[in-house]
Amino acid sequence: MDDSDFPSVSSPLSSVNEHAHALADHDDQPSLSSHGPPDTHSVDAVSTDDAADEVKVPALLLRGTPLLKVSAKKVQTRLFTLDPDQGQILWESKKSGGGVLPIEAIKEIRVAADTRSYRAQFKIAADAEPRWLTFIYMADGKYKTLHIIAPAADVFHMWVNTTRKLWEIRQELASSMRTKATGEGLKGVERREKAWERLYWKCADESGEERLEWKEVKKLCLRLNIHAPEADLFKRFTQADINKREYLDFQDFQRFVKLLKARSEVKRLYNTICAGGELDLNKFIQFMKGSQKSTLSDAELEKMFHRFALIPPQSPALPARRLPDISSVSLPLHSSDHTPNASPSPLRKNIPLPSDTLMSSSSPASSVFSHSPKSSSVPLPGSTPSSTSLSLAAFTSFLLSAENAPFTDVQHDMTRPLSEYYISSSHNTYLVGHQLVGMSTTEGYIRALLQGCRSVELDIYDGDSEPQIFHGKTLTSKVSVREVCLAIAKYAFVASPYPIVISAEIHCSLVQQDMVAEIMKEVFGTALITGPLEGQPIGADLDTLPSPEDLRGKVLLKAKNLNLVIDGRGNARETEKGVYETESSSMDESETAKAERLLKGLFCCAVYLFAELEQGLNIARHVFQRVRGQPPSPLSKPKPLPQTSNEPRPKVKMSAALAALLVYTVGVKCRGINKKEQYAAEHVFSLSEGTANKVLKANMFDLIKHNKTHVVRIYPKGLRLNSSNYEPHRYWAAGAQLVAINWQTFDLGYMINHTMFQQNGRTGYLLKPPPLRNADKVELSRRTEHYLDVTIISAQQLPRAKDKEGREILNKHIIDPFVEVSVLIPDWTHSPFGCESAATPASSPKPGASANATSPSSSTARTVTCRTGVVKNNGFNPVWEEALSLPFDCVGDMRDLIFVKFEVKEDGDDESGPIAGYCSSLGSLQEGYRHLPLHDQQLSQYLFSTLFVRIQVRDVPTKSLPNPTSKTK
């Protein structure tokens, strides 16, 4: 989060009113209260064929409006403009090039009352609230905010309505690339193509004359990561300049773009399918059922075929003009300097290219640019589509369309008991940074809930007047329980209608426990579960938990009932003493001692962050002085971190009011997992990462059996001070439902969790695989071995590196990309087969790129990785056409718990991380020829970048194998 988001710094202005009045009287601002609506500039952001899809951008926003920009340090007037073609909000700034906010980087738009916490934080007058607009966005791998105040209501509504529409359109464009959708046809392809053309026409036309000269085209090619001989590029330029004017207008630009985007690899595939003839319906059905493994009926495939076969060959608005035939000319836009890794590998092989000459192929049909007269797609040479066959252009469009998306989503049955679902869960949700010195804020809850998280965590302690939330035994800041509950109530059911589980650790007094109960009842109202659902049993009569559908729109409190003593038969009775200590994700004493020895200077940094807290200074100084000396003896009991109070906090029991809210999620202490120990259906216990690993190693089968009927929560160990994550599918494989993740850290664990819960409409609930739900043990004893055969064919328009402000770095060299593919496999319960067998090749070694397999550690799974060779000097359309083969094993056909990660990397750059990537569960990844939508390291999708691959799963003949869930000796 940006530094300006949290410090409660008083604004240097006593009131914002003077600035508002000044803006309203600005000389350059036209009157908005008379002469009707302001002039508008039509930006056809979607399709010119449908007037309803047009976004009318007011001319005032294009020219720029003076707005108040608010930060923690100051409030100042800045001129803001909206560029719909490049998809950017721009403003004046002392920084080089000014301020910029890419619209696709926006995560959330908040207005008016929803921004009240910011207004109060910055101490701005209340009358500014109705005109306040906040953009929450990602830049440089961090969440940041832009706060602006409009001078008048009509200007405010112009900004809100226009930016929201442009943002929603870009969200739809991204969605059409990643999720399979029947009936979309060319809609998403055309939208993306139009957006791409507008973006690069605008950035290339620096003079604003609606024409591109040769020098501007050369500069554009560098920006597009194209490295080709100047003579080849100039040849394309002259071919597109059919009027011989020595410049390109927009229609010429469209032709030039099609020549740039010519895809020889798609042309070769098309010719192979056509087999010397046309791509008719029979060949299309054969391709879909053979290569693409489609399960659609012939009738459904026929409808799909005709949707693409009816692509018009040309626009009636433009006379047909055939471009010069370049089918016999081989222009090396992608470099032939293809450098494979020198290390031998049995997992990769080069695919021999067809002997036919390199021919021009098509990108999706282009569309008009709203600044220009009505025009349409420029026909490709030799393109003669008909209603009975697919042209090359139509076939290319199909490959890029939502109907051929790599990810398929299936709606899950939501009527099963709660214990049969994986539930998207967050750990220490209130933190947006470090576990020891991070900020506690409602932002963590809002972000998680908007992304579909269904279980959030509250660590509750006594406050001065009301209970507060913070990370115990640390120097994190505090946020009130009331503020957090209000945020949860507002955002709980925006992304998903299914129940929220509040996982609370209760460390406060009985008096403030009563306050917690009262706050939750007041804020959540009837949504809070305070007793059994109508017609359902409770207590000893409860055999199974209600379903997510039964609990739709409800909020459940999960906390340990400190008043309960439970015997080995699962019987509960109340006691006056707090017998069991609350299980806590806060740091325990041994972890604290380790942290003190490892991080000697950590609290010195906290001193500067919390200089106003004298007590915090003393604590940090004390710890620093102590860790400078000899470490404590292993025999001595390590001392805990100092408490915020000088008096020891006694163990307390739970108030009756709070205990009454524990209905279907009653926290209990884990007494072991065996036949002797019994738990009621509503009993939930939590296991730390370390404890869970021990349980997995000792008796994972018993844990799987327990998790079929009971809910278990797993949380990261306290030594993950930097808020890193474990790999959650290790615990999903044992049937654990609430596997909590630090949502503020974009690492591999977060990526797997994010990928997993893209399924089932991103509702945050996934039905577990049948072997982890059914009573039959046979499925868990079935292990199969397979190969994931991936052909990395090509990439399209790889992104350029960006600076901290989100601007492309144009002076950086053109990249040398390669692709790395990894299969992430659960440890399958320490089965007798190890990663040695997983890394064994299926054939004799051949020269190629490197491959390796890693053994599982305490909190990681097995990983098999392989990579392609390097394509030199091409980030626009690199072609590899290399086959990789990665072995993996699977238990009970639970492919949803195996993940495949694709990363495009730059050769020689090991520090910056991947250029782009894509991750999917194997169960959701479609076989066949697919374009994978690429994402940045924070999992934000690039709008125009894709990786073209072929995916196949090959089975290895079955052999007799031991039960992988049984304990090995």
Side-chain angles (χ1 to χ4, degrees), residues 315-419:
S315 168
L318 186 67
R321 291 172 178 162
R322 293 186 63 84
L323 295 177
D325 188 359
I326 61 169
S327 60
S328 61
V329 181
S330 176
L331 298 176
L333 260 187
H334 57 81
S335 172
S336 60
D337 188 1
H338 188 89
T339 308
N341 190 297
S343 57
S345 168
L347 304 181
R348 195 206 74 173
K349 59 184 178 182
N350 292 325
I351 299 177
L353 302 181
S355 58
D356 58 334
T357 57
L358 187 63
M359 299 181 67
S360 170
S361 64
S362 167
S363 62
S366 301
S367 57
V368 304
F369 182 64
S370 58
H371 291 194
S372 306
K374 291 282 184 180
S375 64
S376 186
S377 305
V378 181
L380 286 175
S383 176
T384 57
S386 71
S387 60
T388 57
S389 66
L390 290 184
S391 67
L392 175 61
F395 179 66
T396 305
S397 296
F398 164 74
L399 291 177
L400 285 162
S401 71
E403 291 175 292
N404 192 52
F407 176 82
T408 185
D409 195 9
V410 178
Q411 187 174 356
H412 292 200
D413 179 6
M414 302 302 288
T415 62
R416 304 296 303 164
L418 204 62
S419 58

Side-chain angles (χ1 to χ4, degrees), residues 819-841:
V819 180
E820 186 175 272
V821 183
S822 300
V823 179
L824 311 170
I825 313 159
D827 192 23
W828 299 132
T829 70
H830 293 266
S831 56
F833 52 95
C835 64
E836 292 81 6
S837 65
T840 301

Side-chain angles (χ1 to χ4, degrees), residues 24-185:
D25 296 334
H26 198 279
D27 293 339
D28 296 335
Q29 181 177 329
S31 172
L32 298 174
S33 58
S34 60
H35 306 101
D39 294 337
T40 59
H41 172 74
S42 175
V43 176
D44 180 5
V46 182
S47 171
T48 54
D49 296 331
D50 188 353
D53 284 337
E54 292 188 357
V55 177
K56 302 292 185 180
V57 179
L60 183 64
L61 303 189
L62 297 172
R63 293 196 301 266
T65 58
L67 305 172
L68 289 181
K69 183 175 179 293
V70 183
S71 67
K73 296 180 179 179
K74 53 188 173 182
V75 178
Q76 50 192 345
T77 303
R78 289 288 182 261
L79 185 69
F80 281 78
T81 58
L82 180 61
D83 187 337
D85 298 321
Q86 297 197 63
Q88 294 177 339
I89 298 171
L90 308 165
W91 64 93
E92 296 172 333
S93 174
K94 294 180 181 179
K95 299 176 182 177
S96 175
V100 59
L101 170 53
I103 291 177
E104 60 261 32
I106 295 174
K107 296 299 182 182
E108 187 186 356
I109 300 175
R110 296 185 198 168
V111 299
D114 290 344
T115 65
R116 185 167 299 163
S117 60
Y118 293 117
R119 182 184 61 76
Q121 172 190 336
F122 300 136
K123 300 183 179 178
I124 301 297
D127 59 355
E129 185 174 289
R131 296 173 280 112
W132 188 299
L133 172 61
T134 292
F135 296 102
I136 299 174
Y137 64 102
M138 292 291 299
D140 193 30
K142 301 175 183 177
Y143 276 94
K144 297 188 177 183
T145 55
L146 172 64
H147 308 286
I148 56 177
I149 302 175
D154 41 10
V155 178
F156 168 79
H157 290 298
M158 264 193 279
W159 273 101
V160 172
N161 295 337
T162 308
T163 54
R164 194 182 295 277
K165 287 177 182 177
L166 291 173
W167 179 53
E168 289 172 350
I169 286 171
R170 288 184 175 259
Q171 298 277 88
E172 291 173 5
L173 291 179
S175 176
S176 67
M177 295 174 65
R178 61 176 177 254
T179 306
K180 192 172 183 179
T182 302
E184 283 291 313

Side-chain angles (χ1 to χ4, degrees), residues 149-417:
I149 302 175
D154 41 10
V155 178
F156 168 79
H157 290 298
M158 264 193 279
W159 273 101
V160 172
N161 295 337
T162 308
T163 54
R164 194 182 295 277
K165 287 177 182 177
L166 291 173
W167 179 53
E168 289 172 350
I169 286 171
R170 288 184 175 259
Q171 298 277 88
E172 291 173 5
L173 291 179
S175 176
S176 67
M177 295 174 65
R178 61 176 177 254
T179 306
K180 192 172 183 179
T182 302
E184 283 291 313
L186 287 170
K187 191 175 182 181
V189 178
E190 290 178 341
R191 285 178 172 182
R192 290 196 303 276
E193 187 68 14
K194 290 178 182 181
W196 190 95
E197 289 175 348
R198 283 196 305 271
L199 169 64
Y200 285 100
W201 169 262
K202 183 69 176 288
C203 73
D205 184 21
E206 296 178 346
S207 63
E209 297 176 348
E210 300 289 333
R211 52 191 262 180
L212 298 182
E213 297 181 354
W214 167 236
K215 63 178 181 179
E216 292 175 308
V217 171
K218 283 198 300 181
K219 190 173 181 179
L220 172 64
C221 291
L222 288 176
R223 181 171 184 173
L224 290 173
N225 260 321
I226 297 174
H227 178 75
E230 186 171 319
D232 292 337
L233 291 176
F234 187 73
K235 189 172 185 177
R236 285 173 169 76
F237 178 84
T238 55
Q239 287 172 339
D241 179 20
I242 60 175
N243 294 317
K244 307 303 179 185
R245 295 174 296 188
E246 297 186 354
Y247 68 83
L248 305 182
D249 62 16
F250 185 70
Q251 292 179 11
D252 296 335
F253 172 72
Q254 288 180 300
R255 295 183 184 90
F256 181 74
V257 165
K258 289 193 177 299
L259 293 172
L260 286 181
K261 290 187 174 183
R263 296 182 59 184
S264 58
E265 75 280 13
V266 176
K267 176 70 174 180
R268 285 191 284 272
L269 174 61
Y270 179 78
N271 287 339
T272 300
I273 298 172
C274 291
E278 291 186 335
L279 182 47
D280 57 20
L281 175 60
N282 290 334
K283 291 177 181 177
F284 180 75
I285 292 177
Q286 184 179 0
F287 169 72
M288 291 299 295
K289 293 192 172 182
S291 296
Q292 305 300 90
K293 308 298 182 188
S294 175
T295 57
L296 297 178
S297 66
D298 287 0
E300 291 171 317
L301 290 174
E302 183 176 1
K303 289 181 181 178
M304 182 187 298
F305 173 83
H306 287 297
R307 278 196 293 272
F308 288 90
L310 293 176
I311 298 175
Q314 60 196 38
S315 168
L318 186 67
R321 291 172 178 162
R322 293 186 63 84
L323 295 177
D325 188 359
I326 61 169
S327 60
S328 61
V329 181
S330 176
L331 298 176
L333 260 187
H334 57 81
S335 172
S336 60
D337 188 1
H338 188 89
T339 308
N341 190 297
S343 57
S345 168
L347 304 181
R348 195 206 74 173
K349 59 184 178 182
N350 292 325
I351 299 177
L353 302 181
S355 58
D356 58 334
T357 57
L358 187 63
M359 299 181 67
S360 170
S361 64
S362 167
S363 62
S366 301
S367 57
V368 304
F369 182 64
S370 58
H371 291 194
S372 306
K374 291 282 184 180
S375 64
S376 186
S377 305
V378 181
L380 286 175
S383 176
T384 57
S386 71
S387 60
T388 57
S389 66
L390 290 184
S391 67
L392 175 61
F395 179 66
T396 305
S397 296
F398 164 74
L399 291 177
L400 285 162
S401 71
E403 291 175 292
N404 192 52
F407 176 82
T408 185
D409 195 9
V410 178
Q411 187 174 356
H412 292 200
D413 179 6
M414 302 302 288
T415 62
R416 304 296 303 164

Side-chain angles (χ1 to χ4, degrees), residues 564-599:
L564 292 183
V565 174
I566 304 173
D567 59 28
R569 293 186 296 251
N571 298 322
R573 60 182 176 83
E574 290 198 1
T575 178
E576 295 181 357
K577 296 181 179 180
V579 176
Y580 298 112
E581 295 183 1
T582 304
E583 290 182 66
S584 172
S585 63
S586 301
M587 296 180 65
D588 60 31
E589 293 180 349
S590 61
E591 290 174 336
T592 299
K594 293 177 184 177
E596 290 169 354
R597 292 195 297 270
L598 292 172
L599 304 172

Side-chain angles (χ1 to χ4, degrees), residues 781 783 832-833 960-966:
S781 66
R783 179 174 66 86
F833 52 95
S960 179
L961 295 167
N963 184 346
T965 58
S966 62

